[in-house]
Amino acid sequence: MEQVSEIIERPALMLPRLGEPAPQFEAVTTHGKIRLEDFKGSWLILFSHPADFTPVCTTEFMGFARLHPKLREMNCELMGLSIDSIYSHIAWIRNIEQNLGQKITFPIIADSGRQIASLYGMIMPGESRTETVRCVFIIDDRQTLRAMLYYPLTTGRNMDEIVRMVEALQITDEFGVATPANWQPGGDVIVPPPNTQELAEERVADKEVQCKDWYFCQKKI
Ligand code: BEZ
């Protein structure tokens, strides 16, 4: 019997791309009007959450707020986003401070028109037609998009992993190295593999690096 495959029509989802300029925007936030370009010279973690006054998001906001001082020491700012109104954001962060004792120190975008959510591909209709999923965009000090993480509605994010990602990217920029699986600050880094036979010979003779083989060498920084 002839097989007929079903073609499911889906509207195209625009996603920003790693290594390219982060899409620019101007936003209404709990700290007033903010443009992405205001963060030039500083790293930025732009994250979205599904909705204010929801429990998983509340745990994440507490986590992000606790991280904020450490991120600032790393020249990294933080900004949240959902499609809730500015009044909802204000009421929710006041509630978190009054009931849970955590001050929310970073701005939150009220993206009621979903312009920024569309620009960054934050709405995944299979998860929710209206709410933004749990996205994290790491934007560097020259406003290049360096990393994206997407989590579903029901899974709270791992704050340690988000900071680890910023630390790894900053180490890459400073030392021109890569970081291995499960790398933690202070751990050995990966030296990019040589791309000529001559450099491969030099690499294995290099006393500054520890090589498992010519293409797989690590060092301490
Ligand atoms: C929450 O943050 O608790 C949540 C939000 C949307 C869907 C499911 C959980």
Side-chain angles (χ1 to χ4, degrees), residues 130-148:
T130 53
E131 298 157 315
T132 44
V133 295
R134 301 181 194 280
C135 305
V136 179
F137 300 93
I138 300 180
I139 298 168
D140 73 15
D141 48 357
R142 287 174 301 179
Q143 307 230 293
T144 299
L145 180 60
R146 299 293 295 275
M148 298 192 281

Side-chain angles (χ1 to χ4, degrees), residues 50-51 54-58 131 134 153-154:
T54 51
V56 178
C57 298
T58 301
E131 298 157 315
R134 301 181 194 280
L153 297 184
T154 49

Side-chain angles (χ1 to χ4, degrees), residues 15 35 64 88 111 118 151 167 210 216:
L15 286 184
R35 290 172 304 169
F64 278 122
S88 169
D111 191 29
S118 305
Y151 283 59
E167 286 172 320
Q210 297 82 49
F216 182 4

Side-chain angles (χ1 to χ4, degrees), residues 7-13 124-126:
I7 297 170
I8 300 168
E9 292 289 342
R10 300 189 305 174
L13 173 70
M124 303 266 166

